[in-house]
Amino acid sequence: MGAAPPVLISFLFDATFNLVNAVYLHIILTRGLTLRVLITGGSGFIGSHLCEHFLNQGHEVLCLDNLFSSSKKNIYSLMGNQAFEFIRHDITQPIHLEADWIFNLACPASPLYYQKNPVQTVKTNIMGALHMLGLAKRVNARIFQASTSEVYGDPEEHPQKEDYWGSVNPIGTRSCYDEGKRATETLMMDYHRQNDVDIRIARIFNTYGPRMSVNDGRVMSNLIVQALKKEKMTVYGDGSQTRSFCFVSDLIRGITRFMDTENLTGPLNLGNPEEITILELAERIKGAIGNGVEIEFRPLPQDDPARRRPCIDLAMEKLNWKPEVPLSEGLTKTIRYFDSVLV
């Protein structure tokens, strides 16, 4: 009998390798052994909380970040932990690492930052995802993609469900981020279908809490910082546009529960379904801080969504997850944090 064809040998090798890695990961998860977790964008607002979570669970954490829109201050408290490693790297460039789980959070999420260099924003989304997916394929890692509610654009469906395709301007000033994230979801699904990469896609809605950047330009941090500084609080348009705000600890619980759930690729909405107008949010922050600052109205930015609220039925069904921290409690904790960093 002749030798087996090279294509067959390659197929059998890949199948055996994937099976061995799947069994290995199952043993790790069921026996509570140590995972090696790679988090891109790990020194950012959400990424730093995710790093902290996995260290507290006894896992090894590789934190990858180029510090373009994040700060090392967010991870200073983790630096002395021997299970934590910080790598300064731009994921638009290739990198070779080993990991069991990959969380791809690398990309500026604030318009102030992602519009500063829109071409780099697109590259971070697309090339970064390609590099992380290539890594996941090579080492047979499970990979989580932090997508965004911005994939829904200025929605014509309300609340937004995962099967809604969105209403996005492909050539506007926000498009580098919105369309970059949509393209990233495409890459994730194609790697899953074509290469059997184990993926998770979460569409993250507005999130707030400690470690938000003072100057990131997002509505929650803007209003709190302005009020604490006794400056006029900026509201765009007439303030009737709505958002829903999820406290960061609730989001981390949703992300980790999603990542730990078998046979669920997403996309999956993660956010708080309680809707509030921006003007009402400004009034609540003003009341909580209590220094009588004025509210100043300015023109609405281009393509600013009129309404934004997630339908989280899928997360409730598949993950048994929903937000638990009420806005009043979350605001108190977030105001206290900003008050401490502004001193």
Side-chain angles (χ1 to χ4, degrees), residues 224 227-228 281-291 327-328 331-332 335:
I224 293 175
L228 287 171
L281 176 67
E283 293 287 2
R284 291 187 65 168
I285 292 172
K286 179 180 175 181
I289 294 175
N291 58 9
L327 183 61
S328 57
L331 280 178
T332 299
I335 290 169

Side-chain angles (χ1 to χ4, degrees), residues 150-188:
E150 298 297 335
V151 301
Y152 298 122
D154 190 3
E156 297 170 0
E157 174 184 294
H158 193 79
Q160 294 81 57
K161 297 180 180 179
E162 289 87 353
D163 59 3
Y164 175 56
W165 291 353
S167 176
V168 178
N169 177 359
I171 57 171
T173 56
R174 301 169 66 101
S175 304
C176 57
Y177 184 73
D178 302 0
E179 296 287 23
K181 288 293 188 180
R182 287 162 69 95
T184 298
E185 288 194 15
T186 300
L187 285 168
M188 293 285 289

